[in-house]
Amino acid sequence: MSWHDLAVYVSMPFIAAVVGYVTKRVAIKMMFEPIEFVGIKPVLGWQGILPKNAERMAATATDTLINNLLSPREVVARLDPERIAREVEQPLLHAVEAITREVMSQYQPDLWEMLPGAAQRLLIRQVQAEAPKIVKNLLAEIIEDIDGVLDIRHMAVTNLSRDKVLLNRLIRDIAKPEFRFIARCGTYFGFALGLVQLGVWALTHQPLIMPLFGLLVGWFTDWLALKMIFFPREPKRYLGLVTWQGLFQKRREQVAADYGDLIAREVITVPNVVEEVLRGPKSDRLFTLIQNEVQRSVDAQTGLVKPFVVAAVGSRRYQEMKVAAAAKAIEHIPAAARSAEHYAEDALDVRNTIVERMTRLSPTEFEGILRPAFRQDEWKLITVGAVIGFLVGELQVLLLLG
């Protein structure tokens, strides 16, 4: 045996180990990158599997979240309307003054200009005194009818599918140890199969052995590593020597903590909830609630002089004034909500709720948090691994024959 042949023999398990590792790293990278399609559409190119299927992945993750971990009604019920009213008091008073001046100047400019400054301030203080009551009533109605005001599924799916980087992080950050395990498995399993390859080559000297074993290493190590992440769901002893449990199942507590942190910090946040309530598909319901409360307040403020006000500006103009006041109130909600953000985050307690619920999931339900990211397109990852392995095997043949 020549030194060249000996070098090729010795290199076989190491090359197989490298193939196993590289195919895993490539497969993992192809799950997440590139974020947008690179190449010539529709087929000559590639887009990361998660970004490509962002909407479906986001919907699956959100359904798991809502069905198993988080009840919007239960969580929102933790908010105290009176506490919220206290938290937003200062920005609320400023907003009321701005709204009152703007609406009065628009709909009753002559009357407003005729009023002395003291009278204007008195009217503003009267409206400001009524504002906390409006906020408490409004929040109580929202909490009571949260499903009619907030579509949390739409909110989560919209944010995750729109921000593909965030969707990637939802899977990649949570599953970092699993991805490292996949790469290591590729190395170990590849080396073991390389030893088998060496023996078969020594017996047969068939050139086809190399690409076939390369294909086997790429395909089998990808397939086995993915299976070992999730299965078995419960600890199981093999050959009386080794006990194994799917790595994702084994890390349940850490996964729950990481998942809860990311959802609470990036997805179900107070600004996102406010945005969904104001701009989402159910925002008309909120506008109706605000309009009712504001109109009731305006009618209460005018009181006995309401007939004179209506006579002065006209019935239609009076109604328009109330609608305008409601619209202006909506414009000030985001700024006012920021003052209550810290309290609301603590009260909603999204992170701890998710963590606690995740620990109660069955193994199958728990698997559903991450498994959908792999299931539908994992055959593509395995195929890529097999193709890379086959090409490396062909390269080995060239080295041997050379």
Side-chain angles (χ1 to χ4, degrees), residues 35 47-62 156-165 167-168:
I35 296 294
Q47 181 180 10
I49 289 175
L50 257 70
K52 181 180 179 181
N53 300 286
E55 189 168 346
R56 174 173 59 82
M57 295 293 187
T60 300
T62 302
V157 171
T158 299
N159 282 286
L160 287 172
S161 58
R162 180 174 54 202
D163 188 348
K164 295 173 184 175
V165 174
L167 180 62
N168 274 355

Side-chain angles (χ1 to χ4, degrees), residues 100-111:
T100 302
R101 290 185 181 280
E102 188 170 349
V103 171
M104 290 296 292
S105 297
Q106 180 178 354
Y107 288 90
Q108 292 183 304
D110 295 335
L111 176 59

Side-chain angles (χ1 to χ4, degrees), residues 149-326:
V149 176
L150 172 66
D151 187 340
I152 197 168
R153 185 181 189 279
H154 178 270
M155 180 192 75
V157 171
T158 299
N159 282 286
L160 287 172
S161 58
R162 180 174 54 202
D163 188 348
K164 295 173 184 175
V165 174
L166 174 58
L167 180 62
N168 274 355
R169 287 175 50 212
L170 182 63
I171 303 299
R172 183 158 50 190
D173 288 5
I174 292 171
K176 274 184 180 178
E178 282 73 25
F179 292 131
R180 286 196 295 266
F181 170 80
I182 288 175
R184 288 198 303 269
C185 279
T187 305
Y188 304 146
F189 296 154
F191 188 86
L193 287 172
L195 293 175
V196 177
Q197 178 188 32
L198 189 158
V200 174
W201 170 260
L203 292 174
T204 64
H205 287 84
Q206 289 291 327
L208 192 58
I209 291 297
M210 294 302 182
L212 287 180
F213 262 87
L215 184 149
L216 178 63
V217 169
W219 173 80
F220 179 74
T221 55
D222 274 7
W223 175 82
L224 185 59
L226 286 171
K227 294 300 179 186
M228 290 180 70
I229 288 177
F230 299 104
F231 302 103
R233 296 186 177 105
E234 300 289 352
K236 186 176 180 180
R237 196 161 184 81
Y238 294 90
L239 304 175
L241 300 173
V242 178
T243 300
W244 184 260
Q245 181 184 14
L247 191 60
F248 191 63
Q249 298 284 355
K250 190 175 182 179
R251 287 199 319 116
R252 175 182 286 251
E253 290 187 5
Q254 186 59 50
V255 169
D258 292 343
Y259 191 80
D261 282 339
L262 196 146
I263 293 295
R265 190 175 63 250
E266 304 278 3
V267 182
I268 304 180
T269 64
V270 173
N272 284 351
V273 170
V274 171
E275 176 68 17
E276 177 66 21
V277 169
L278 293 178
R279 308 278 184 261
K282 298 183 178 180
S283 57
D284 286 349
R285 173 61 177 154
L286 176 70
F287 185 82
T288 300
L289 292 176
I290 292 177
Q291 187 170 305
N292 290 341
E293 282 297 322
V294 170
Q295 289 182 349
R296 182 196 59 77
S297 177
V298 171
D299 288 338
Q301 290 300 312
T302 54
L304 295 176
V305 299
K306 178 180 176 181
F308 302 102
V309 175
V310 172
V313 300
S315 177
R316 179 180 175 182
R317 190 77 169 158
Y318 180 71
Q319 295 301 323
E320 289 177 355
M321 182 180 71
K322 294 194 291 185
V323 171

Side-chain angles (χ1 to χ4, degrees), residues 130-146:
E130 182 75 7
K133 182 179 178 181
I134 295 177
V135 171
K136 286 185 285 187
N137 290 342
L138 182 61
L139 283 171
E141 289 187 67
I142 290 174
I143 291 171
E144 180 66 26
D145 186 31
I146 188 62

Side-chain angles (χ1 to χ4, degrees), residues 120-131:
Q120 290 181 353
R121 290 191 293 273
L122 176 62
L123 175 60
I124 289 171
R125 283 197 296 270
Q126 288 177 335
V127 179
Q128 287 176 329
E130 182 75 7

